[in-house]
Amino acid sequence: MSQPNNPAGRLLQVLREAERDYDRLKGMKSLDAWSQLLCVPNHQRRRLINTIFLTYELPQEIERSVRASTASDPDRYLVWVKQFNIYLRSVSFESKFEANHSGLVDPSSLALLNFCDELLATNPEPVVDHDALLKLLDGIEGCVRDIQQSDLPHHVRLYLLRLLDLVADSIAEYRVIGIRAVAYCTDSVYGLHKREQGTWEQAKTTEIGDRVWDIMGKYATVVAVVESAARLGAFVQKFLPA
């Protein structure tokens, strides 16, 4: 499947999956259904709820993008926005998915959203391979468990956990906000490295540190379309095992 290259395409991708799997999702609690649609495990509650709320903000982002485009009559692209906001902002995570979300997968709503996608795709954002990013998550979870159980100094553990947290957040958020999630992560990681160079020196000599740098190197390779990712990859590569 091609990667969506604009906010309308990203929302449409999520809602097309909801449409396809609606018979299975409709009886679930909203939180459980969103967990599956956004590829964020339910036990990662902070990350899941944050990514859901980023999804809820997409109609406003789409509206801004359409109004900033060359469309001669932007209002005709946006007649769905007000109703979508009503659906999204009336959600209870404990309610059944169908109680609040059935209107989101209405064929006429999806057709209007597709209309916006076609418009915004004429000025595409850079994209990365999200499936390749998702494959990093198992390794990240394993590293997090091992770091938490390790006897590393407390500040080193916090440093490594923060690196992995930034990467995992960006993988979840990429599905919703696109390349901005990657830019936020790579800039934050680079800034953390600059602020904590002493901790970096301690962490890079450990076996767990090697595993973290390996994950960071793979992440930087996948997201290399972002300028700051090249900078991230350059300094991570210095400390990868030969």
Side-chain angles (χ1 to χ4, degrees):
M1 179 188 297
S2 61
Q3 296 286 332
N5 60 19
N6 66 82
R10 291 190 289 273
L11 182 57
L12 183 63
Q13 181 185 60
V14 171
L15 295 183
R16 288 289 189 201
E17 292 184 17
E19 178 189 42
R20 184 193 65 206
D21 295 336
Y22 188 69
D23 286 342
R24 180 175 59 84
L25 296 173
K26 65 182 182 181
M28 294 182 179
K29 290 183 178 180
S30 291
L31 195 65
D32 297 332
W34 278 115
S35 171
Q36 297 198 18
L37 289 171
L38 298 175
C39 304
V40 181
N42 206 330
H43 66 271
Q44 296 178 7
R45 193 59 57 92
R46 176 198 60 80
R47 185 168 294 130
L48 174 58
I49 291 174
N50 181 64
T51 308
I52 292 171
F53 278 105
L54 289 173
T55 306
Y56 290 178
E57 294 300 314
L58 279 176
Q60 285 73 39
E61 183 180 351
I62 294 165
E63 181 174 10
R64 289 192 296 270
S65 298
V66 168
R67 294 197 182 282
S69 74
T70 58
S72 58
D73 183 11
D75 286 336
R76 70 191 178 103
Y77 288 89
L78 300 169
V79 294
W80 57 274
V81 171
K82 182 177 179 180
Q83 192 61 46
F84 261 51
N85 284 330
I86 292 172
Y87 291 137
L88 291 171
R89 297 188 186 285
S90 62
V91 167
S92 164
F93 287 149
E94 291 302 309
S95 66
K96 299 296 185 184
F97 188 72
E98 65 180 333
N100 301 109
H101 296 84
S102 58
L104 297 178
V105 295
D106 177 76
S108 60
S109 297
L110 295 178
L112 291 168
L113 187 55
N114 185 69
F115 197 31
C116 292
D117 179 29
E118 291 175 351
L119 170 69
L120 298 180
T122 61
N123 185 26
E125 301 170 5
V127 298
V128 302
D129 186 344
H130 190 233
D131 289 336
L133 292 180
L134 290 172
K135 291 176 182 177
L136 299 178
L137 290 177
D138 286 343
I140 290 173
E141 284 212 52
C143 271
V144 167
R145 286 193 299 270
D146 291 346
I147 292 167
Q148 290 171 335
Q149 296 167 8
S150 74
D151 58 359
L152 291 171
H154 181 68
H155 68 287
V156 175
R157 278 186 285 139
L158 288 181
Y159 174 79
L160 293 175
L161 290 171
R162 179 61 177 148
L163 287 176
L164 295 174
D165 203 36
L166 287 167
V167 172
D169 281 350
S170 80
I171 293 171
E173 293 170 7
Y174 177 80
R175 184 168 174 78
V176 179
I177 65 172
I179 206 68
R180 281 186 294 140
V182 174
Y184 294 158
C185 175
T186 54
D187 288 344
S188 295
V189 168
Y190 192 75
L192 181 63
H193 165 66
K194 287 297 186 182
R195 292 192 306 272
E196 300 282 349
Q197 290 198 35
T199 306
W200 167 271
E201 293 296 326
Q202 286 183 268
K204 72 184 185 184
T205 62
T206 67
E207 182 271 335
I208 294 178
D210 283 345
R211 290 164 56 194
V212 173
W213 313 145
D214 183 59
I215 290 170
M216 300 296 292
K218 290 175 180 175
Y219 176 85
T221 299
V222 174
V223 303
V225 294
V226 177
E227 181 179 352
S228 53
R231 183 176 59 188
L232 168 67
F235 81 77
V236 169
Q237 288 291 333
K238 297 178 184 178
F239 305 106
L240 291 176

